[in-house]
């Protein structure tokens, strides 16, 4: 054995000597060291308060937001302590999480208001290939008492990997497989490419007979998947993953390539309403090819619940592309799935409550990881809306005039929309009407006796009168106009139609615009508002009639112009189901100030 | 013993080799991984019990769909499912086995052609790899990939080329020749039969099973070099078989599997059969002594309890076997044993193993 050791040392010495003489090796080593030095300050050692248990995280902006795993923050509870490589311990608070995807966003509190944190940029994980080099950093076995991260270096062993969930949470879809050593404690830490960009969050490994330590197979959640959830995480949501509402299986063909088919579909799924049915063959999903059920699961796993993505399928010889609203994975009232179900002796493993200085940034609410941050994001959304144009002084009668191109008429027809309040006896009644050509549809939007057909007026629009009424309500009343429900809904893509008369450019994926979402409820009307992330303009909204498992009325705004110092859209495209109801070109807005103080319901 | 002759290579030669491979190691190995992946298949067969996976990996060695893999349990049943790199699925059958090399050759049932593959003869004609060589290991470990999903790739270094003394539970590994020992974890469930290649994609070896080293009792990571050979008995006659010969004759359909040889401990022959090793701490009680064997000549009898070998305590069957491996044929060992209430001392002169026909 001694001979062995001596010989090995001799070998190592010669390797070092040889390497030292090679400029390529020296350069590569220097580059690697430089990258590690650069990103080291962004790696966070996450601890439960008191130091019992923890994991790793990585800072993604200078305000102190950091990504980690859900399974790291679940045991720490909503407040945690976070050590950086400079040896300083910060207080941290949970912001948002995605249980199915095993991702959580936390925020480190600066020691002084306004202090900036170092952070690492996010890369493009779609460009990562098997065989690329990667660097993992973290706190394996929680061994760094001075919070200096441990560095490991290795190969990307595979991309687009699927690792099934534990129950329904912690499902790793579209993940990056690495031979870079990760161990317990590395969870939540960053996987970097050789440019020092975050390409994934390390979270699990394949273990077998050798125990829960590195077996050469680790998995990182791809950063591109996390980017899709980033809006939700920042808004403090308990984000849910998407499902199609259909079972999809790849046929086990005896020879050749199996086809990926829908074997069952829920009738209340949007996919079914859009036309997908049993035995249809899936071809493409969200712009990617579907070649197996693992691929399919990988693609579905990229998206949050409620997102609309294009889906391509084949029935006999006909290929069709549809835009599908995705359903959720988790049930609404989800019991803690990690709690052992049949063992009453063992209380569910739950983290401690909020503690320490970060506790004031935590506000629990069902459906949210931390409602405090939803409130903050919502505030910002309304501030931007108001900055863009303030309508609060114009809560009186509105009249909008113009021409409409109705799909069914195929000709320009004049239209008028009127919304106003009338005094009837002692009470004030809100009235709204849309006149197209010679036909007028009227609606008292807040009348409790309204039936579904009333609220859907004009016929075929899916509820345009009500939509315009709620839109005016949002502009004039703001957040206080929706006392029963008004929340930030994270971010979602919308697919604005091409300008009137123009042909659509490219496929659905090219038209997608990521928007910030506000969700509101007023009486029977449930709305999702889409704000541009760039200039905060309202790009459009969807109006859904509550308790009606039906398709919404979709309104898309464009051609914003100045009207008396306020920006207003002069084109409104209205869609219902898969049909373009019509596009309204506005020529005139008349907006009166609110009359004498009235309690408008 | 670990063979250390390879450590004495001239330093200059090593330095050149390391320089060349180290610089190429800086570049991503994406291209190599893509090319090699096309020549590999995912296998699905019998398993799923006692920690034995029902899946494995294999290497295409002909364009008509001959697959080289490890001769393990997943091949027990006739129908084996094969997934090619492009997602095609086929059934395959075992057409040849060689237990002494621990390899099997499969053939896809359907008529296929033009499959990417390794020309095995050509690859096996290359020299065997050396310590310090960079390698890539590609396999379907943990059944991560299905259909057209690519195999896992990991990179590492040949840590040593030495003889394999592996065991699975109490069973010795079938192959006991030289193997590549690796510095990374590759021998995971389902990895056996995968490819060990150099950075250019040339085939170096067949990834091994999940085994523990019988000397150190630790998990080992190894691959059997494609130049491997084994001493066998074919129809009673001793001979040698190489992996290349096996592949060639196997594809021709003329390969004759070697006779089964009862696995015996390395080291000299003593002729003692111990009691069944019911537990890991079972003491070395003599069950039988082969008539005429060295132990018989020394006077050992059933029910004797062996206590010391050459002054070393042998409290368990396992330790006894490990200890005996250290003594080559023709060496004489002092054995102390207990018979009834008495301690006895004998000397046993070990001999070469008589070639035994298998009883199982």
């Amino acid at each position: 054995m001694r001979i062995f050791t001596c010989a090995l040392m001799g070998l190592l010495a010669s390797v070092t000597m040889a390497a030292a003489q090679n400029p390529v090796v020296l350069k590569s080593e220097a580059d690697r060291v430089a990258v590690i030095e650069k990103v080291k300050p962004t790696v966070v050692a996450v601890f439960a308060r008191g130091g019992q248990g923890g994991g790793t995280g990585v800072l993604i902006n200078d305000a102190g937001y950091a990504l980690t795993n859900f399974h790291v923050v679940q045991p720490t509870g909503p407040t945690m302590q976070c050590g950086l490589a400079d040896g300083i311990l910060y207080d941290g608070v949970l912001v948002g999480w995605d249980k199915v995807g095993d991702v959580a966003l936390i925020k480190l509190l600066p020691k002084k208001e306004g202090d900036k944190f170092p952070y690492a940029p996010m890369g493009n994980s779609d460009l990562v290939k098997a065989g690329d080099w990667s660097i993992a950093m973290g706190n394996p076995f929680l061994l760094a008492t001075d919070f200096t991260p441990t560095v490991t270096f290795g190969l990307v062993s595979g991309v687009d990997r699927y690792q099934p969930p534990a129950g329904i949470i912690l499902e790793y879809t579209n993940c990056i497989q690495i031979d870079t050593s990760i161990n317990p404690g590395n969870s939540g830490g960053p996987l970097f490419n050789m440019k020092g960009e975050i390409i994934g969050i390390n979270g699990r490994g394949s273990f077998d007979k050798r125990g829960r330590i590195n077996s050469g197979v680790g998995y990182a959640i791809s950063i591109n998947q996390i980017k899709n959830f980033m809006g939700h995480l920042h808004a403090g949501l308990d984000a849910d993953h998407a499902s199609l509402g259909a079972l999809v299986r790849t046929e086990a063909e005896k020879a050749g390539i199996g086809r990926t088919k829908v074997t069952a579909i829920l009738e209340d799924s949007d996919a079914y309403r859009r036309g997908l049915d049993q035995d249809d063959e899936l071809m493409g999903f969200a712009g990617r090819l579907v070649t197996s059920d693992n691929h399919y699961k990988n693609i579905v796993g990229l998206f949050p619940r409620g997102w609309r993505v294009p889906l391509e399928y084949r029935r006999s010889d006909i290929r069709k592309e549809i835009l599908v609203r995705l359903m959720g994975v988790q049930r609404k009232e989800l019991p803690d799935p990690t709690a052992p179900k049949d063992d009453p002796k063992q209380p569910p493993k739950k983290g401690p409550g909020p503690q320490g200085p970060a506790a004031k940034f935590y506000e629990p609410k069902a459906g949210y990881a931390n409602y405090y941050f939803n409130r903050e994001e919502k505030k910002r959304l309304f501030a931007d809306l108001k900055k863009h144009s303030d309508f609060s002084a114009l809560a009186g009668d509105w009249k909008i005039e113009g021409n409409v191109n109705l799909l069914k008429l195929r000709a320009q027809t004049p239209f008028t929309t009127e919304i106003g309040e009338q005094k009837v006896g002692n009470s004030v009644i809100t009235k709204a009407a849309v006149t197209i050509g010679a036909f007028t549809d009227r609606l008292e939007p807040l009348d409790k006796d309204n039936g579904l057909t009333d609220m859907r007026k004009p016929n075929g629009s899916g509820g345009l009168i009500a939509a315009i009424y709620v839109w005016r309500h949002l502009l004039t009343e703001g957040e206080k106009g929706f006392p029963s429900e008004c929340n930030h809904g994270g971010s979602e893509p919308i697919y604005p139609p091409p300008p009137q008369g123009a042909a659509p450019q490219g496929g659905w994926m090219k038209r997608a615009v990521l928007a910030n979402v506000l969700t509101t409820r007023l009486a029977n009307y449930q709305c999702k508002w889409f704000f541009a992330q760039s200039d905060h303009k309202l790009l459009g909204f969807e109006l859904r009639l509550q308790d009606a498992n039906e398709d919404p009325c979709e309104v898309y705004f464009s051609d914003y112009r100045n009207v008396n110092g306020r920006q207003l859209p002069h084109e409104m495209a209205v869609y219902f189901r898969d049909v373009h109801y019509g596009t309204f070109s506005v020529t005139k807005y008349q907006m009166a100030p609110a009359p004498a103080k009235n309690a408008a319901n | 013993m670990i063979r250390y002759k390879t450590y004495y290579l001239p330093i200059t030669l090593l330095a050149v080799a390391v320089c060349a491979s180290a610089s190429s190691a800086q570049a991503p190995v994406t291209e190599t991984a893509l090319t090699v992946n096309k020549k590999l298949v995912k296998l699905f067969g019998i398993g799923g019990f006692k920690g034995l996976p029902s899946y494995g990996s294999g290497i295409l060695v002909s364009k008509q769909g001959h697959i080289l893999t490890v001769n393990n349990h997943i091949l027990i049943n006739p129908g084996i499912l094969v997934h090619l790199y492009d997602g095609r699925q086929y059934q395959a059958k075992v057409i040849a086995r060689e237990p002494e090399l621990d390899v099997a050759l499969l053939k896809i049932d359907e008529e296929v052609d033009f499959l990417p593959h390794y020309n095995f003869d050509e690859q096996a004609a290359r020299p065997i790899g050396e310590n310090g060589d960079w390698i890539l290991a590609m396999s379907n470990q943990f059944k991560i990939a299905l259909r057209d999903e690519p195999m896992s790739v990991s990179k590492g270094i040949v840590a040593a080329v030495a003889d394999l003394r592996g065991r699975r539970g109490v069973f010795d590994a079938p192959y006991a020749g030289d193997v590549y020992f690796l510095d990374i974890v590759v021998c995971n469930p389902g990895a056996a039969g995968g490819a060990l290649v150099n950075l250019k994609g040339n085939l170096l070896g067949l990834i091994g099973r999940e085994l523990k080293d019988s000397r150190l009792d630790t998990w080992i990571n190894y691959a059997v070099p494609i130049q491997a050979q084994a001493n066998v008995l074919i129809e009673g006659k001793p001979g040698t078989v190489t992996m290349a010969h096996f592949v060639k004759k196997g594809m021709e359909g003329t390969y004759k599997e070697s006779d089964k040889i009862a696995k015996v401990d390395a080291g000299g022959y003593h002729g003692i059969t111990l009691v069944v090793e019911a537990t890991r701490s079972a003491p070395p009680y003599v069950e039988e002594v082969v008539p005429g064997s060295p132990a018989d000549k020394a006077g050992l009898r059933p029910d004797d309890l062996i206590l010391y070998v050459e002054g070393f305590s042998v409290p368990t069957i396992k330790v006894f076997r490990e200890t005996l491996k250290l003594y080559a044929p023709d060496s004489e060992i002092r054995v102390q044993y207990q018979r009834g209430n008495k301690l006895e001392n004998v000397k046993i002169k070990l001999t070469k193993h008589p070639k035994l026909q298998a009883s199982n």
Side-chain angles (χ1 to χ4, degrees), chain A residues 44 49 59 62-66 78-84 88-95 106-117 355-362 370 372-373:
Chain A
V44 186
R49 288 187 64 83
L59 287 158
D62 62 7
Y65 285 86
T79 53
M80 61 286 295
Q81 283 178 311
C82 302
L84 294 186
I88 297 174
L89 192 63
Y90 294 86
D91 282 295
V93 62
L94 169 71
V95 177
I106 59 175
K107 186 177 188 291
L108 275 61
L109 307 183
K111 293 289 174 195
K112 210 163 86 255
E113 189 74 31
D115 274 2
K116 301 266 190 259
F117 284 93
Q355 292 166 338
K360 63 174 179 286
F361 299 105
Y362 177 68
N370 183 353
Y372 174 87
F373 285 91

Side-chain angles (χ1 to χ4, degrees), chain A residues 122-128 193 197-199 223-224 227:
Chain A
M122 288 186 271
N124 180 357
S125 55
D126 284 350
L127 301 180
V128 177
N193 62 16
E197 297 167 335
I198 307 168
I199 53 171
I223 199 71
N224 284 21
K227 283 179 194 166

Side-chain angles (χ1 to χ4, degrees), chain B residues 31-292:
Chain B
E31 288 305 317
T32 308
L34 273 175
T35 323
V36 176
N37 179 59
K38 293 184 180 168
K39 301 174 184 169
L40 305 182
V41 297
K42 299 134 197 136
L43 300 174
F44 301 90
I46 294 296
F49 45 84
K50 285 191 170 174
L52 298 171
S54 59
Y55 49 90
S57 312
I59 302 168
L60 282 164
V61 290
S62 83
K63 60 179 181 176
Q64 298 90 1
H66 288 93
I67 298 160
L68 181 67
T69 185
V70 165
N71 181 34
N72 66 5
H73 63 275
I74 74 162
L75 309 177
I76 291 170
N77 265 23
I80 297 134
L81 187 64
V82 176
H83 288 185
L84 297 187
Y85 74 99
D86 58 5
R88 274 183 281 169
Q89 301 177 45
Y90 293 104
Q91 295 282 322
K93 275 196 201 75
V94 178
I95 56 168
R97 296 173 195 266
E98 181 44 68
E100 292 301 310
L101 286 169
D102 200 18
V103 288
L105 195 69
L106 316 184
K107 168 79 178 71
I108 289 175
D109 282 346
E110 314 270 328
E111 282 284 314
V112 284
D113 209 344
F114 309 116
L115 293 182
H117 66 279
Y118 278 108
N119 180 330
F120 199 85
D121 265 349
E122 225 173 84
Q123 296 287 322
R126 295 166 41 81
I128 191 165
E130 288 166 359
N131 306 349
D133 281 359
W134 284 85
I135 54 92
L136 298 180
M138 292 192 69
S139 74
N140 193 20
Q141 51 181 333
F142 293 109
K143 198 175 62 177
I144 294 164
L146 289 173
R147 299 190 181 85
D148 63 341
E149 294 171 321
M151 299 283 210
S152 299
V153 52
S154 5
K155 69 94 197 46
I157 287 173
V158 174
V161 182
D163 60 335
L164 176 70
R165 291 287 180 80
R167 62 166 184 82
R168 163 117 200 168
V170 296
F171 300 103
D172 282 329
Y175 173 77
D178 274 357
V179 296
Y180 295 113
F181 284 98
L182 307 173
D183 71 330
I184 50 165
V185 184
V186 292
C187 293
N188 277 320
L196 192 79
V197 300
N198 66 14
L199 296 183
K200 289 184 181 133
N202 285 314
L203 191 59
L204 296 176
L206 212 62
I207 296 175
R209 303 164 175 246
E210 290 177 89
L211 295 180
K212 280 191 171 180
D213 185 287
S214 44
R215 291 157 292 199
L216 304 169
D217 203 28
T218 52
W219 292 104
I220 48 178
N221 295 291
Y222 73 98
V224 180
I226 55 173
Q227 297 85 353
Q229 56 180 47
N231 296 325
V232 295
L233 283 181
I234 297 171
E235 290 168 346
K237 285 188 205 123
T240 309
V241 59
T242 63
M243 214 188 269
H245 174 79
F246 166 76
V247 171
K248 186 158 178 271
K249 292 288 167 188
M251 293 203 290
E252 287 169 5
T254 57
Y255 186 75
K256 285 234 163 54
E257 191 173 325
S258 68
D259 303 343
K260 277 183 184 153
I261 301 172
K263 277 288 152 197
V264 285
D265 292 341
Y269 173 71
H270 44 72
I272 302 168
T273 310
L274 298 170
V275 294
V276 176
E277 193 178 5
T279 64
R280 296 204 95 182
S281 56
Y285 272 105
V286 177
E287 174 87 22
E288 266 177 16
V289 179
V290 177

Side-chain angles (χ1 to χ4, degrees), chain A residues 283-302:
Chain A
M283 310 295 293
F285 197 10
R288 294 166 187 243
L289 283 178
V290 177
T291 54
S292 73
D293 39 9
N294 266 7
H295 275 177
Y296 159 76
K297 287 181 212 160
N298 276 336
I299 304 169
V300 179
L302 286 172

Side-chain angles (χ1 to χ4, degrees), chain A residues 3-4 7 11 28 130-133 157 161 177 179 206 208-210 215 217 219 254-256 291 293-294, chain B residues 7-8 14 25-26 29-30 51 89 141-142 144 147-155 185 187-189 210 221:
Chain A
I3 298 167
F4 172 80
L11 172 78
S28 156
D132 284 350
W133 297 107
S157 300
R161 294 304 199 197
Q177 182 201 339
D179 79 355
S206 280
D208 196 61
K209 301 170 185 71
R210 307 187 188 201
S215 65
V217 183
Y219 303 95
K254 220 180 117 206
T291 54
D293 39 9
N294 266 7
Chain B
Y7 294 108
Y8 294 132
L14 243 182
Q26 308 307 312
V29 295
T30 318
Q89 301 177 45
Q141 51 181 333
F142 293 109
I144 294 164
R147 299 190 181 85
D148 63 341
E149 294 171 321
M151 299 283 210
S152 299
V153 52
S154 5
K155 69 94 197 46
V185 184
C187 293
N188 277 320
E210 290 177 89
N221 295 291

